[in-house]
Amino acid sequence: ESATPSYDSQLGGRVVFDRNFVIPVEVLPNATERVFGYIYSVSTPREGAVLAWNPESFREMRSKEYISDGIYFGFLFSLVFFNFALYLTIKQISHFYAGAFQLCIGLILFISLGYGPIFVFPNYQIFTIPAIGIIFTCAGLFSGLCSISIFHMKESNKSLYDIWRGVIGFSALQIPI
């Protein structure tokens, strides 16, 4: 007897609310089941791993991952907040650029680890890949602006300043629209 799981329209048809596609398959003890899956990739051919967990082990493993990810992102976004607070306090623009760069890198990691379809684009998974491209380009722009600001290139080395401006301008053209 085969049971077809009911797919939720949110989260791209995911059955289990998780950052990865998790499909529950119930197998009776000492029984053999064949599970077939089709993996669709937007860009290049990929291989997908199939892991079998019992529900308790899966929940325990995911809880540990979510706690460690929460600590990591909490630390990262506290650094972003710290840089923005420094900018508001001492009015040095390099802290704003550094905070914006850290925010972009944090968003890229957040979306790439699978949290994007859950928290950022719950009904619009198609925006995930273009969003990573746009945020990545913005990260490059903010890192260049931060470098110019920290090293005072405009005053100290005019030719290097012009080169960096050209690199930043070229990077701005790379934003996928």
Side-chain angles (χ1 to χ4, degrees):
E1 179 179 323
S2 174
T4 304
S6 63
Y7 292 98
D8 187 6
S9 62
Q10 280 191 334
L11 301 176
R14 297 180 187 199
V15 179
V16 177
F17 188 78
D18 191 69
R19 64 188 179 118
N20 296 322
F21 281 97
V22 177
I23 300 173
V25 177
E26 195 172 317
V27 179
L28 299 173
N30 299 323
T32 303
E33 286 280 340
R34 284 188 185 190
V35 179
F36 295 94
Y38 177 76
I39 299 172
Y40 175 75
S41 175
V42 176
S43 56
T44 59
R46 301 185 188 251
E47 295 180 9
V50 177
L51 302 172
W53 294 82
N54 63 26
E56 295 81 28
S57 298
F58 177 76
R59 282 188 213 99
E60 180 181 337
M61 183 265 314
R62 276 298 192 246
S63 296
K64 289 177 183 177
E65 283 185 5
Y66 289 153
I67 288 171
S68 65
D69 286 349
I71 291 169
Y72 176 78
F73 285 112
F75 179 71
L76 182 65
F77 288 120
S78 67
L79 285 175
V80 170
F81 177 75
F82 177 72
N83 271 310
F84 286 149
L86 275 176
Y87 167 69
L88 292 174
T89 305
I90 62 176
K91 303 288 188 233
Q92 191 173 7
I93 195 69
S94 61
H95 290 289
F96 175 79
Y97 294 145
F101 170 73
Q102 292 167 348
L103 180 64
C104 289
I105 296 301
L107 286 173
I108 289 169
L109 289 172
F110 191 77
I111 293 171
S112 297
L113 285 173
Y115 296 114
I118 295 175
F119 298 110
V120 182
F121 309 109
N123 295 320
Y124 305 101
Q125 291 84 17
I126 196 163
F127 294 134
T128 302
I129 293 173
I132 289 174
I134 291 169
I135 296 168
F136 187 78
T137 303
C138 291
L141 293 173
F142 285 124
S143 71
L145 291 170
C146 185
S147 298
I148 286 174
S149 176
I150 286 175
F151 297 118
H152 305 287
M153 285 184 201
K154 189 172 187 179
E155 296 84 23
S156 65
N157 193 340
K158 183 72 171 149
S159 60
L160 186 60
Y161 172 73
D162 291 337
I163 291 171
W164 267 107
R165 283 184 45 199
V167 168
I168 290 171
F170 181 73
S171 295
L173 295 175
Q174 303 301 314
I175 295 178
I177 297 178

